[in-house]
Amino acid sequence: MTTGEMAPTVSGLPASLRGTLPGRYYTDPTIFAAEQALIFETQWFCAVLATDIPGPGAFETVQVGRESVIVARGRDGAVNAYLNVCRHRGARLCTEEKGAVRRSFQCPYHAWTYGLDGKLIAAPNIGDMPDVDRVEFGLNRVHVREWLGYVWLCLADEPPSFEDTVIADVGERLGSPDAIVGYQVADLKLGRRIEYDVAANWKQIVENFMECYHCATIHPELTEVLPEFADGLAAQYFVGHGAAFGDDVAGFTVDGSEGLDRIPGVAEDQDRRYYAITVRPQVFINLVPDHVVFHRMFPLSPTRTLVRCDWLYLPEVVDSGADIERSVELFHRVNQQDFDACERCQVAMDSRAYARGGVLVPSEHHIGEFHDWVQKKID
């Protein structure tokens, strides 16, 4: 694809301003289709929390770009992923969002049956077809990688280096990929999950997360906990920087009250600080001393995005029934405030006033790098 030409933006700007993508990049079905095919189906996509498929036969179906994918744990404990399409006549194999099977997936149309390893294991009259290779006619495999306790998928025939994309995004934000190790993300346990159905293009949400020019306007609770955010510079603006808690703030909670015990691996210089990370194309990671907030975006249409937000804590915190409500409530309010703002922007993207886009102030210029990345992928 291409969108035909590089996007024209506002011209003749003063040096302090940079143009954005034009409005059509947020509404045009052709552009969205290109993003599905050339971004979400070619890059590593964070799909499933690994503990959501705890044992052999447990599965979850997820939408990655234009494809439905089955992510299932095999009898050997390994995670496998396949396109959710029967190899016989193309029927949708699994219609449930999640669940568990004993040994196999069976197509409800003609009963072609596949093992948890994706191999074709049975079909009506297949004994009369000795030339049918059970592996060759098994399900189409999808590349799988587990990291930070999540299952990441790549639909490309030759996936990009995980280290040079996903891990590099974390390293570039924190100054080193090792800086996230102490948060022990893969060892944390899900304390709360909230899903948000956002009436906005996925790029609106990424852009919002990357900047804090809006923080003083719409995030009163957040700027009380992180006073420097009121100045409009997001933590992501500086490599390796974590926003400091206010002097009178005890924890990353909605009222600044005391949080929970610090994750043991968090270093002293990371204590009482908040780090935000964007992992392209669809993950946001928020690190604080006692928990991690992990967002996964699932773009559904040019104007609709599902966001799954997980609050992760030390297992003993979750198992003990400790009160996590104040920490959940802080970022839940931030999410609601952010998504309302994204929806407010989305409704104007088809306006003639935004046909050539808007502008970015200096504290938002790094969003322009994200725009360049998107255009490079689809143009």
Side-chain angles (χ1 to χ4, degrees), residues 112-165:
W112 279 41
T113 304
Y114 305 88
L116 297 177
D117 59 358
K119 180 180 177 181
L120 176 65
I121 57 176
N125 306 319
I126 198 170
D128 299 330
M129 298 175 280
D131 56 333
V132 176
D133 187 299
R134 307 292 184 93
V135 174
E136 176 67 24
F137 284 89
L139 298 176
N140 293 104
R141 297 186 69 95
V142 172
H143 298 281
V144 173
R145 178 76 178 261
E146 290 190 62
W147 192 58
L148 299 180
Y150 285 81
V151 178
W152 304 67
L153 309 176
C154 186
L155 274 59
D157 292 337
E158 297 292 335
S161 164
F162 194 86
E163 288 71 21
D164 293 343
T165 53

Side-chain angles (χ1 to χ4, degrees), residues 191-255:
R192 182 68 53 81
R193 172 174 295 153
I194 300 177
E195 292 192 355
Y196 306 86
D197 196 338
V198 187
N201 183 274
W202 68 279
K203 296 186 294 299
Q204 295 277 9
I205 300 171
V206 174
E207 293 160 18
N208 175 277
F209 186 77
M210 292 180 70
E211 55 93 358
C212 209
Y213 192 45
H214 67 275
C215 287
T217 308
I218 71 171
H219 293 321
E221 299 88 356
L222 186 63
T223 54
E224 282 291 322
V225 174
L226 306 173
E228 68 183 74
F229 274 14
D231 295 331
L233 291 176
Q236 294 191 75
Y237 188 77
F238 309 100
V239 174
H241 177 71
F245 292 7
D247 292 340
D248 58 347
V249 170
F252 196 75
T253 57
V254 70
D255 55 3

Side-chain angles (χ1 to χ4, degrees), residues 180-192:
I180 201 172
V181 172
Y183 289 88
Q184 303 166 224
V185 184
D187 299 324
L188 302 182
K189 188 171 183 177
L190 181 66
R192 182 68 53 81

